[in-house]
Amino acid sequence: MSRVAFSLARGIGMIEVLVTLFILSIGLLGVASLQFVGSFSNADALNRSQAVTVTQQLAERLRANAVLSSTGNGLVVHNDYFDDDLYNFANLSGCTGANPYPCYCLAHPADIPDCHGGDCNQAEFAALDAYEVSCSLASSNPAATVSLTCTDNDGLDADACSSGSRHRIIVSWPTESWQNIDRQLNAACNPVAGAEPRDCVVLDVTL
């Protein structure tokens, strides 16, 4: 082989190597992008799965502690179930850091009734249920919150949520857009315009 032919062959080999490296780089970038997207999808799926579990858990607790209404023909729960301060540890203090779970949930707080012996009144059961549901949520997603509201169909009685009314359980957590894609936000999760965007699971319950 002549010197010119050898140099040409060596040049062609170098071009093939560069082309191969370019193609390999594109493939690796694609794999990295898939892993990035997959991590967001997995985190979102985990948050949503836990949120569904918590909403169902609170719904079952409402049904378990419902009593016959004194003014209607259906079931009602104690008014304290709709006290926002009972949820998300708002009635407890002394915790520092972003994760409330190790502070409030690893040991039973003295301010929360211990009703596992069954010797509590309805208000105490409401405080315990709100605390335990909040702990269940914080164990997997410390940034998530749970709330219980009611669309009351009788504002003249003493019940915060009269019999036959719709109870709405919302578990929400902060969310963010990725890959410059604007997420379509649920109005139920984002009642305040301009606030931090949140995703949520909503469960409507009638006792």
Side-chain angles (χ1 to χ4, degrees):
M1 178 182 298
S2 67
R3 181 176 300 177
V4 174
F6 178 76
S7 299
L8 181 60
R10 186 173 60 180
I12 293 175
M14 182 61 68
I15 292 174
E16 291 174 344
V17 170
L18 292 174
V19 170
T20 302
L21 289 175
F22 176 76
I23 295 173
L24 181 61
S25 299
I26 296 297
L28 291 176
L29 287 174
V31 171
S33 176
L34 286 175
Q35 289 180 334
F36 180 75
V37 173
S39 65
F40 272 95
S41 299
N42 289 340
D44 184 68
L46 179 61
N47 289 333
R48 190 168 298 279
S49 176
Q50 182 65 15
V52 169
T53 299
V54 169
T55 56
Q56 291 176 341
Q57 180 185 130
L58 181 53
E60 292 303 318
R61 287 173 181 264
L62 293 176
R63 293 188 178 100
N65 292 311
V67 297
L68 287 173
S69 172
S70 60
T71 58
N73 296 321
L75 298 174
V76 295
V77 293
H78 195 273
N79 289 347
D80 282 5
Y81 274 99
F82 305 96
D83 183 354
D84 289 338
D85 288 341
L86 295 182
Y87 298 91
N88 312 304
F89 316 108
N91 58 332
L92 300 176
S93 60
C95 184
T96 58
N99 189 350
Y101 181 81
C103 183
Y104 295 132
C105 301
L106 296 184
H108 195 95
D111 294 336
I112 301 297
D114 188 355
C115 304
H116 294 289
D119 54 352
C120 286
N121 58 38
Q122 288 181 306
E124 290 171 327
F125 271 115
L128 178 65
D129 285 345
Y131 163 75
E132 292 188 336
V133 166
S134 299
C135 282
S136 178
L137 187 59
S139 65
S140 64
N141 188 352
T145 58
V146 57
S147 66
L148 174 65
T149 58
C150 175
T151 303
D152 194 8
N153 59 16
D154 186 356
L156 300 179
D157 61 15
D159 294 320
C161 198
S162 306
S163 59
S165 299
R166 184 186 67 184
H167 305 66
R168 169 160 286 190
I169 303 168
I170 299 180
V171 172
S172 68
W173 59 94
T175 186
E176 61 184 38
S177 299
W178 42 274
Q179 290 188 334
N180 297 320
I181 299 175
D182 290 332
R183 183 187 292 263
Q184 186 67 37
L185 299 177
N186 187 337
C189 319
N190 301 271
V192 180
E196 177 187 37
R198 300 180 72 86
D199 204 350
C200 70
V201 168
V202 180
L203 178 62
D204 289 333
V205 179
T206 302
L207 302 179

